[in-house]
Amino acid sequence: MEHLRKRLKFLTSIGEYIVLIIEVITATLRRPPPWSSIREQLYEIGVMSLPVVAMTGCSTGLVLAAQSFYQLADKGLAGATGIMVGKAMITELGPVLTAFMITGRVGAAMCAELGTMNVTEQIDALQSMSVNPHRYLIAPRFIAGTIMLPLLTVFSVIMGIFGGYLLAVYFFKMPPVNYFDPMQHYMTPFDCFVGLVKSVVFGTLIVTICCYKGIKTQGGAAGVGRATTTCVVICYTCILLFNFFITMGLNIVKAEINRWLS
Protein backbone atom coordinates (compact mmCIF):
# COMPACT_ATOMS: atom_id res chain seq x y z
CA MET A 1 0.00 0.00 0.00
CA GLU A 2 2.85 2.35 0.86
CA HIS A 3 4.59 1.60 -2.47
CA LEU A 4 1.37 2.35 -4.35
CA ARG A 5 0.97 5.64 -2.50
CA LYS A 6 4.54 6.67 -3.37
CA ARG A 7 4.04 5.76 -7.03
CA LEU A 8 0.83 7.77 -7.21
CA LYS A 9 2.56 10.72 -5.56
CA PHE A 10 5.43 10.48 -8.07
CA LEU A 11 3.05 10.33 -11.04
CA THR A 12 1.07 13.26 -9.62
CA SER A 13 4.27 15.30 -9.32
CA ILE A 14 5.19 14.52 -12.95
CA GLY A 15 1.73 15.62 -14.07
CA GLU A 16 1.88 18.84 -12.02
CA TYR A 17 5.36 19.59 -13.39
CA ILE A 18 4.17 19.21 -17.00
CA VAL A 19 1.12 21.37 -16.28
CA LEU A 20 3.41 24.03 -14.78
CA ILE A 21 5.55 24.14 -17.93
CA ILE A 22 2.44 24.45 -20.14
CA GLU A 23 0.99 27.22 -17.96
CA VAL A 24 4.28 29.16 -17.95
CA ILE A 25 4.59 28.95 -21.75
CA THR A 26 0.92 29.90 -22.18
CA ALA A 27 1.22 32.85 -19.79
CA THR A 28 4.39 34.01 -21.56
CA LEU A 29 2.81 33.84 -25.03
CA ARG A 30 -0.40 35.57 -23.98
CA ARG A 31 1.35 38.41 -22.19
CA PRO A 32 5.16 38.43 -21.97
CA PRO A 33 6.63 39.33 -18.57
CA PRO A 34 8.09 42.83 -18.09
CA TRP A 35 11.52 43.36 -19.64
CA SER A 36 12.84 44.67 -16.31
CA SER A 37 12.12 41.28 -14.67
CA ILE A 38 13.78 39.37 -17.53
CA ARG A 39 16.81 41.69 -17.45
CA GLU A 40 17.20 41.16 -13.71
CA GLN A 41 17.21 37.38 -14.17
CA LEU A 42 19.57 37.58 -17.16
CA TYR A 43 22.02 39.48 -14.95
CA GLU A 44 21.58 37.13 -12.00
CA ILE A 45 21.86 33.89 -14.01
CA GLY A 46 24.34 35.04 -16.64
CA VAL A 47 26.64 37.83 -15.51
CA MET A 48 26.90 36.76 -11.88
CA SER A 49 27.77 33.20 -12.93
CA LEU A 50 30.68 34.18 -15.17
CA PRO A 51 33.44 33.82 -12.51
CA VAL A 52 32.44 30.31 -11.40
CA VAL A 53 31.86 29.16 -15.00
CA ALA A 54 35.25 30.57 -16.07
CA MET A 55 37.06 28.86 -13.20
CA THR A 56 35.30 25.54 -13.85
CA GLY A 57 35.92 25.61 -17.59
CA CYS A 58 39.58 26.63 -17.31
CA SER A 59 40.42 24.06 -14.63
CA THR A 60 38.67 21.32 -16.63
CA GLY A 61 40.68 22.26 -19.73
CA LEU A 62 43.91 22.10 -17.70
CA VAL A 63 43.10 18.62 -16.41
CA LEU A 64 42.02 17.36 -19.84
CA ALA A 65 45.21 18.66 -21.44
CA ALA A 66 47.38 17.09 -18.75
CA GLN A 67 45.64 13.71 -18.93
CA SER A 68 45.60 13.67 -22.73
CA PHE A 69 49.25 14.63 -23.07
CA TYR A 70 50.51 12.07 -20.53
CA GLN A 71 48.36 9.32 -22.07
CA LEU A 72 49.28 10.10 -25.68
CA ALA A 73 52.86 11.40 -25.58
CA ASP A 74 54.54 8.01 -25.16
CA LYS A 75 52.60 6.73 -28.18
CA GLY A 76 53.72 9.63 -30.35
CA LEU A 77 50.23 11.17 -30.39
CA ALA A 78 50.84 14.27 -28.30
CA GLY A 79 49.58 16.38 -31.21
CA ALA A 80 46.07 15.11 -30.49
CA THR A 81 45.97 16.93 -27.14
CA GLY A 82 44.14 19.92 -28.59
CA ILE A 83 41.42 17.90 -30.29
CA MET A 84 40.89 15.82 -27.15
CA VAL A 85 40.36 18.97 -25.08
CA GLY A 86 38.17 20.69 -27.66
CA LYS A 87 35.93 17.73 -28.44
CA ALA A 88 35.39 16.79 -24.80
CA MET A 89 34.62 20.38 -23.78
CA ILE A 90 32.18 21.07 -26.62
CA THR A 91 30.18 17.85 -26.59
CA GLU A 92 30.23 16.72 -22.96
CA LEU A 93 32.05 18.53 -20.20
CA GLY A 94 31.19 22.09 -21.18
CA PRO A 95 27.39 21.64 -21.15
CA VAL A 96 27.30 19.25 -18.17
CA LEU A 97 29.67 21.12 -15.85
CA THR A 98 28.08 24.47 -16.67
CA ALA A 99 24.66 23.03 -15.86
CA PHE A 100 25.99 21.66 -12.56
CA MET A 101 27.43 25.03 -11.60
CA ILE A 102 24.22 26.90 -12.49
CA THR A 103 22.15 24.40 -10.54
CA GLY A 104 24.25 24.90 -7.44
CA ARG A 105 24.59 28.66 -7.69
CA VAL A 106 21.29 29.78 -9.24
CA GLY A 107 18.84 26.86 -9.12
CA ALA A 108 19.12 26.30 -5.37
CA ALA A 109 18.69 30.02 -4.66
CA MET A 110 15.72 30.14 -7.04
CA CYS A 111 14.01 27.27 -5.24
CA ALA A 112 14.72 28.74 -1.80
CA GLU A 113 13.39 32.16 -2.82
CA LEU A 114 10.13 30.82 -4.28
CA GLY A 115 9.79 28.34 -1.41
CA THR A 116 10.09 31.12 1.16
CA MET A 117 7.50 33.16 -0.73
CA ASN A 118 5.16 30.17 -0.73
CA VAL A 119 5.43 29.28 2.98
CA THR A 120 5.02 32.94 3.94
CA GLU A 121 1.91 33.09 1.69
CA GLN A 122 3.32 35.82 -0.55
CA ILE A 123 2.35 33.80 -3.65
CA ASP A 124 -1.23 33.51 -2.32
CA ALA A 125 -1.21 37.29 -1.81
CA LEU A 126 -0.17 37.80 -5.44
CA GLN A 127 -3.03 35.57 -6.64
CA SER A 128 -5.51 37.45 -4.43
CA MET A 129 -4.43 40.64 -6.25
CA SER A 130 -5.09 38.92 -9.62
CA VAL A 131 -1.35 38.68 -10.37
CA ASN A 132 -0.45 35.53 -12.28
CA PRO A 133 2.55 34.03 -10.40
CA HIS A 134 3.54 31.98 -13.45
CA ARG A 135 3.96 35.12 -15.53
CA TYR A 136 5.30 37.33 -12.74
CA LEU A 137 7.68 34.90 -10.99
CA ILE A 138 8.49 31.92 -13.22
CA ALA A 139 8.34 33.21 -16.82
CA PRO A 140 11.27 35.69 -16.41
CA ARG A 141 13.42 32.93 -14.90
CA PHE A 142 12.36 30.49 -17.62
CA ILE A 143 13.26 32.90 -20.43
CA ALA A 144 16.54 33.97 -18.83
CA GLY A 145 17.63 30.41 -18.04
CA THR A 146 16.90 29.17 -21.57
CA ILE A 147 18.90 32.05 -23.07
CA MET A 148 21.83 32.17 -20.67
CA LEU A 149 22.73 28.48 -20.37
CA PRO A 150 23.87 28.19 -24.03
CA LEU A 151 25.86 31.43 -23.72
CA LEU A 152 27.50 30.32 -20.48
CA THR A 153 28.29 26.95 -22.04
CA VAL A 154 30.05 28.63 -24.96
CA PHE A 155 32.02 30.73 -22.47
CA SER A 156 32.95 27.60 -20.49
CA VAL A 157 34.13 25.82 -23.65
CA ILE A 158 36.29 28.79 -24.64
CA MET A 159 37.83 28.91 -21.17
CA GLY A 160 38.45 25.15 -21.26
CA ILE A 161 40.23 25.29 -24.62
CA PHE A 162 42.18 28.32 -23.39
CA GLY A 163 43.22 26.48 -20.20
CA GLY A 164 44.35 23.47 -22.24
CA TYR A 165 46.29 25.78 -24.55
CA LEU A 166 48.15 27.39 -21.64
CA LEU A 167 49.26 24.02 -20.27
CA ALA A 168 50.09 22.45 -23.64
CA VAL A 169 52.08 25.39 -24.97
CA TYR A 170 53.77 26.85 -21.88
CA PHE A 171 54.29 23.70 -19.79
CA PHE A 172 54.54 20.86 -22.30
CA LYS A 173 56.21 23.12 -24.90
CA MET A 174 53.90 22.17 -27.77
CA PRO A 175 53.91 24.51 -30.79
CA PRO A 176 50.62 26.49 -30.76
CA VAL A 177 49.86 25.37 -34.31
CA ASN A 178 49.95 21.72 -33.19
CA TYR A 179 47.33 22.47 -30.54
CA PHE A 180 44.81 24.22 -32.78
CA ASP A 181 45.34 22.59 -36.20
CA PRO A 182 43.68 19.20 -35.41
CA MET A 183 40.54 21.04 -34.21
CA GLN A 184 39.94 22.42 -37.70
CA HIS A 185 40.07 18.93 -39.23
CA TYR A 186 38.31 16.75 -36.67
CA MET A 187 35.72 19.00 -34.99
CA THR A 188 32.47 19.31 -36.94
CA PRO A 189 29.38 21.54 -36.80
CA PHE A 190 27.54 18.49 -35.47
CA ASP A 191 29.70 18.62 -32.30
CA CYS A 192 28.66 22.24 -31.74
CA PHE A 193 25.01 21.33 -32.41
CA VAL A 194 25.13 18.54 -29.79
CA GLY A 195 26.57 20.90 -27.18
CA LEU A 196 24.02 23.59 -28.01
CA VAL A 197 21.04 21.22 -27.77
CA LYS A 198 22.26 19.94 -24.42
CA SER A 199 22.70 23.41 -22.98
CA VAL A 200 19.19 24.50 -24.01
CA VAL A 201 17.63 21.34 -22.54
CA PHE A 202 19.65 21.64 -19.33
CA GLY A 203 18.70 25.30 -18.92
CA THR A 204 15.00 24.48 -19.30
CA LEU A 205 15.25 21.57 -16.86
CA ILE A 206 17.10 23.53 -14.18
CA VAL A 207 14.72 26.49 -14.15
CA THR A 208 11.47 24.52 -14.36
CA ILE A 209 12.44 21.90 -11.76
CA CYS A 210 13.72 24.48 -9.27
CA CYS A 211 10.67 26.72 -9.75
CA TYR A 212 8.29 23.75 -9.42
CA LYS A 213 9.92 22.57 -6.19
CA GLY A 214 9.90 26.17 -4.93
CA ILE A 215 6.22 26.88 -5.43
CA LYS A 216 5.26 23.45 -4.04
CA THR A 217 7.26 23.95 -0.84
CA GLN A 218 5.46 23.27 2.43
CA GLY A 219 6.51 22.98 6.06
CA GLY A 220 8.09 26.33 6.92
CA ALA A 221 11.85 26.89 7.06
CA ALA A 222 12.59 23.16 7.32
CA GLY A 223 10.48 22.55 4.22
CA VAL A 224 12.43 25.19 2.30
CA GLY A 225 15.67 23.42 3.17
CA ARG A 226 14.31 20.03 2.11
CA ALA A 227 12.92 21.43 -1.15
CA THR A 228 16.25 23.09 -2.00
CA THR A 229 18.22 19.91 -1.40
CA THR A 230 15.72 17.82 -3.34
CA CYS A 231 15.66 20.13 -6.35
CA VAL A 232 19.47 20.06 -6.62
CA VAL A 233 19.53 16.25 -6.48
CA ILE A 234 16.74 15.98 -9.07
CA CYS A 235 18.47 18.48 -11.37
CA TYR A 236 21.81 16.64 -11.21
CA THR A 237 20.10 13.32 -11.91
CA CYS A 238 18.08 14.70 -14.82
CA ILE A 239 21.15 16.40 -16.32
CA LEU A 240 23.08 13.13 -16.34
CA LEU A 241 20.17 11.11 -17.72
CA PHE A 242 19.26 13.62 -20.43
CA ASN A 243 22.95 13.95 -21.33
CA PHE A 244 23.02 10.23 -22.11
CA PHE A 245 19.72 10.21 -24.03
CA ILE A 246 20.58 13.31 -26.08
CA THR A 247 24.03 11.91 -26.95
CA MET A 248 22.58 8.58 -28.04
CA GLY A 249 19.56 10.07 -29.79
CA LEU A 250 21.41 12.67 -31.85
CA ASN A 251 24.17 10.25 -32.88
CA ILE A 252 21.63 7.60 -33.92
CA VAL A 253 19.72 10.19 -35.95
CA LYS A 254 22.97 11.38 -37.55
CA ALA A 255 23.97 7.81 -38.47
CA GLU A 256 20.54 7.16 -40.00
CA ILE A 257 20.68 10.38 -42.03
CA ASN A 258 24.17 9.53 -43.31
CA ARG A 259 23.04 6.01 -44.19
CA TRP A 260 19.99 7.40 -46.01
CA LEU A 261 22.09 9.93 -47.95
CA SER A 262 24.81 7.44 -48.94
Side-chain angles (χ1 to χ4, degrees):
M1 192 65 183
E2 182 66 20
H3 291 294
L4 180 61
R5 189 181 67 81
K6 288 182 178 177
R7 288 176 184 176
L8 288 175
K9 185 178 179 181
F10 174 74
L11 292 175
T12 303
S13 298
I14 295 293
E16 290 176 343
Y17 172 69
I18 294 173
V19 169
L20 172 72
I21 295 176
I22 295 172
E23 289 181 346
V24 169
I25 293 174
T26 304
T28 303
L29 294 177
R30 283 180 179 170
R31 189 181 173 196
W35 165 245
S36 58
S37 301
I38 299 174
R39 183 181 57 197
E40 182 181 341
Q41 293 301 321
L42 288 172
Y43 180 80
E44 180 62 30
I45 296 174
V47 178
M48 296 300 290
S49 300
L50 286 177
V52 68
V53 170
M55 186 176 65
T56 305
C58 188
S59 61
T60 305
L62 289 169
V63 173
L64 280 173
Q67 285 288 355
S68 301
F69 186 86
Y70 284 124
Q71 295 290 328
L72 299 173
D74 59 347
K75 302 175 182 63
L77 300 173
T81 299
I83 186 63
M84 296 288 285
V85 174
K87 200 115 179 172
M89 286 301 302
I90 289 176
T91 58
E92 297 296 334
L93 295 177
V96 172
L97 293 180
T98 302
F100 279 1
M101 291 299 106
I102 298 304
T103 300
R105 203 200 75 78
V106 179
M110 201 178 287
C111 179
E113 182 182 357
L114 293 178
T116 303
M117 293 182 69
N118 195 41
V119 298
T120 55
E121 300 181 348
Q122 293 180 58
I123 293 179
D124 292 337
L126 288 174
Q127 290 176 320
S128 68
M129 293 186 293
S130 300
V131 176
N132 186 342
H134 295 142
R135 173 180 174 270
Y136 182 71
L137 296 175
I138 301 178
R141 291 171 169 81
F142 178 75
I143 295 171
T146 307
I147 293 174
M148 293 312 300
L149 250 293
L151 297 179
L152 288 171
T153 300
V154 171
F155 181 64
S156 175
V157 170
I158 293 172
M159 292 304 299
I161 293 175
F162 175 69
Y165 171 83
L166 290 180
L167 190 72
V169 173
Y170 293 103
F171 187 80
F172 294 125
K173 307 301 181 185
M174 283 179 61
V177 67
N178 286 2
Y179 182 81
F180 285 114
D181 264 9
M183 295 185 190
Q184 304 174 26
H185 300 292
Y186 295 104
M187 286 170 56
T188 64
F190 179 75
D191 297 327
C192 300
F193 177 71
V194 171
L196 184 63
V197 170
K198 287 182 179 180
S199 63
V200 172
V201 173
F202 294 162
T204 304
L205 285 172
I206 292 169
V207 173
T208 52
I209 290 172
C210 293
C211 288
Y212 170 75
K213 294 301 293 182
I215 64 171
K216 292 295 180 182
T217 299
Q218 294 179 341
V224 174
R226 285 194 298 272
T228 304
T229 304
T230 305
C231 83
V232 171
V233 173
I234 294 174
C235 283
Y236 283 176
T237 306
C238 289
I239 288 167
L240 293 174
L241 286 176
F242 274 79
N243 183 49
F244 168 72
F245 288 123
I246 292 172
T247 300
M248 289 297 293
L250 290 180
N251 279 285
I252 289 172
V253 170
K254 179 189 175 188
E256 288 298 319
I257 291 175
N258 289 337
R259 188 174 63 84
W260 183 71
L261 292 175
S262 62

